Amino acid sequence: QVQLVESGGALVQPGGSLRLSCAASGFTLNDYAIAWFRQAPGKEREGILCISNYGGSIYYARSVKDRFTISVDKAKNTMYLQMNSLKFEDTAVYFCAADPWAPGYGCNSRYPYWGQGTQVTVSS
């Protein structure tokens, strides 16, 4: 059974850092296209960081470029979202997603597998 389980959401002050985790089971994460999305209150879900299969291309939303990075621990079959220099506008529910085949650039894949979401709140 394919499953993505997220953790790491928290309340953090502006300028702080946070790392989200997304543990995969039922498939090998490194073989899939992977992505992080977020949904802020009253807004549509947006793709913020999306990697095509085998790391062929990496898309960063302008709002997170140079602040957020993605990594994968193959041994743990887990991907991470490192978020630095957090801003109030980063407050959202964050989701990880995976797709067995999404070779293109961007976050437009259907991503059939999703985590449950984890809340990140940036507040002083």
Side-chain angles (χ1 to χ4, degrees), residues 69-88:
T69 56
I70 191 171
S71 62
V72 176
D73 185 326
K74 296 179 183 179
K76 296 182 178 180
N77 207 30
T78 297
M79 64 174 163
Y80 302 95
L81 179 67
Q82 178 67 43
M83 304 184 292
N84 299 325
S85 303
L86 283 162
K87 305 176 181 180
F88 292 117

Side-chain angles (χ1 to χ4, degrees):
Q1 181 181 1
V2 172
Q3 192 174 18
L4 295 169
V5 179
E6 301 176 34
S7 60
L11 172 65
V12 62
Q13 291 186 341
S17 296
L18 196 63
R19 189 179 77 161
L20 305 182
S21 301
C22 175
S25 59
F27 70 104
T28 301
L29 193 59
N30 206 47
D31 292 338
Y32 278 50
I34 56 177
W36 285 93
F37 286 73
R38 69 183 180 186
Q39 187 165 18
K43 295 187 177 181
E44 293 186 357
R45 187 163 55 188
E46 63 166 333
I48 56 172
L49 210 163
C50 303
I51 301 179
S52 64
N53 290 83
Y54 308 110
S57 65
I58 304 176
Y59 165 85
Y60 293 88
R62 191 184 320 180
S63 57
V64 306
K65 189 173 175 58
D66 298 327
R67 297 189 300 124
F68 291 11
T69 56
I70 191 171
S71 62
V72 176
D73 185 326
K74 296 179 183 179
K76 296 182 178 180
N77 207 30
T78 297
M79 64 174 163
Y80 302 95
L81 179 67
Q82 178 67 43
M83 304 184 292
N84 299 325
S85 303
L86 283 162
K87 305 176 181 180
F88 292 117
E89 52 264 41
D90 293 320
T91 295
V93 178
Y94 284 72
F95 301 87
C96 58
D99 192 322
W101 186 242
Y105 175 76
C107 303
N108 298 319
S109 172
R110 64 187 182 100
Y111 295 105
Y113 307 119
W114 291 83
Q116 80 282 8
T118 187
Q119 177 70 47
V120 173
T121 302
V122 183
S123 176
S124 55

